[in-house]
Amino acid sequence: MNLIFVGVQGSGKGTQAKLISNELGLAHISTGDLLRDAKGELRKRVDSYIEKGNLVPDALILEILKERLNKKEGDNGIILDGFPRNLEQARALDKIMEVDKVIEIKISDKEALKRLSGRWNCRKCGIAYNIFTSPKPKKDRICDICDSPLYQREDDKPFPIKKRLKIYHKETEPILEHYKDKVVSVDGERAIEEIKEEILKILENAN
Ligand code: AMP
């Protein structure tokens, strides 16, 4: 089963993709993570887009995705998280992969802004906190585990956040029409566990 998780930044699609992939034994492929894991020259190249809140060029992200898809793990299928981000990417994906369902996780822009501006991370432990929602660090902007000061991703700062939301509505939302027969929308402004259960039920009924 191949799935796409779509949602505005901060919708919790990454969290849900992780939970559902564990539950169903699917590979979780986040293009944002693939880009953040890039090294050397490639990293420098992609950072210039990411830090400003822009999308990296389609040809580049496709090349990175295809390389990742070639490293197959198991035959249960995959969850794509953060791809496709526009119609060109969706059309390119049509040529390389069959998509079974598209799960849209919906939250308002107001909620997205709040969640994203509250995201603070620990460089050492890799833990992502949220000072407005959860998990909240016990001490203000200090990691609970190693006591290091937390940092905010460049693209979680106010200007790039607003730009990312704008790009989402203009470029990513149209892919929902492209996949219209396969899209199921869920309300993302609820408890993580509740959303997970709803997605599992949707997928169960899809089989
Ligand atoms: P994410 O973690 O999914 O929010 O991705 C972080 C950043 O990586 C985005 O703001 C883009 O700059 C870049 N990125 C991730 N996925 C894509 C994609 N499919 N196409 C273009 N850029 C992407």
Side-chain angles (χ1 to χ4, degrees):
M1 179 162 52
N2 294 327
L3 308 171
I4 294 174
F5 279 32
V6 188
V8 74
Q9 291 80 2
S11 60
K13 70 178 161 47
T15 304
Q16 293 298 335
K18 225 171 267 162
L19 292 170
I20 303 288
S21 61
N22 283 340
E23 194 90 25
L24 302 180
L26 303 171
H28 172 204
I29 302 179
S30 150
T31 44
D33 285 348
L34 290 179
L35 293 171
R36 282 184 288 274
D37 287 345
K39 304 267 178 320
E41 273 311 302
L42 177 62
R43 177 66 198 239
K44 267 194 225 149
R45 211 173 137 202
V46 299
D47 270 354
S48 63
Y49 295 99
I50 294 178
E51 289 182 359
K52 294 190 192 83
N54 289 321
L55 294 181
V56 309
D58 292 339
L60 180 59
I61 191 72
L62 254 169
E63 195 186 310
I64 293 171
L65 177 71
K66 278 185 186 163
E67 199 178 300
R68 174 64 187 79
L69 287 174
N70 285 337
K71 291 185 199 145
K72 250 184 139 213
E73 342 152 334
D75 291 321
N76 279 354
I78 59 175
I79 297 183
L80 279 181
D81 160 14
F83 189 97
R85 282 284 232 277
N86 59 31
L87 276 175
E88 286 68 32
Q89 293 181 9
R91 290 185 190 121
L93 186 65
D94 286 343
K95 296 192 188 127
I96 53 177
M97 199 183 95
E98 180 75 34
V99 174
D100 297 297
K101 271 258 167 292
V102 176
I103 305 289
E104 182 200 13
I105 304 184
K106 285 181 97 150
I107 63 167
S108 67
D109 279 9
K110 192 171 159 218
E111 179 69 14
L113 269 166
K114 183 178 161 199
R115 289 186 188 179
L116 290 174
S117 58
R119 288 212 303 214
W120 288 76
N121 310 285
C122 177
R123 265 203 185 86
K124 233 172 162 181
C125 307
I127 300 174
Y129 295 91
N130 197 304
I131 58 170
F132 298 131
T133 55
S134 75
K136 253 187 212 170
K138 291 191 184 85
K139 284 187 246 166
D140 188 28
R141 281 157 248 232
I142 299 288
C143 178
D144 290 354
I145 310 293
C146 71
D147 242 19
S148 304
L150 302 178
Y151 79 99
Q152 196 169 33
R153 261 168 54 178
E154 277 308 313
D155 56 342
D156 282 343
K157 292 182 178 167
F159 182 71
I161 289 180
K162 290 205 176 113
K163 197 186 231 173
R164 288 162 77 200
L165 292 179
K166 218 167 159 184
I167 292 177
Y168 178 82
H169 293 303
K170 189 160 172 254
E171 300 199 23
T172 308
E173 251 170 14
I175 72 167
L176 295 170
E177 179 61 23
H178 179 83
Y179 291 115
K180 61 177 182 271
D181 302 332
K182 298 178 177 173
V183 176
V184 184
S185 302
V186 300
D187 173 5
E189 294 193 30
R190 294 174 299 156
I192 290 174
E193 194 60 24
E194 216 178 296
I195 301 169
K196 180 188 112 180
E197 289 307 321
E198 183 179 348
I199 297 174
L200 284 174
K201 217 172 270 161
I202 291 166
L203 298 177
E204 225 175 83
N205 293 336
N207 274 330

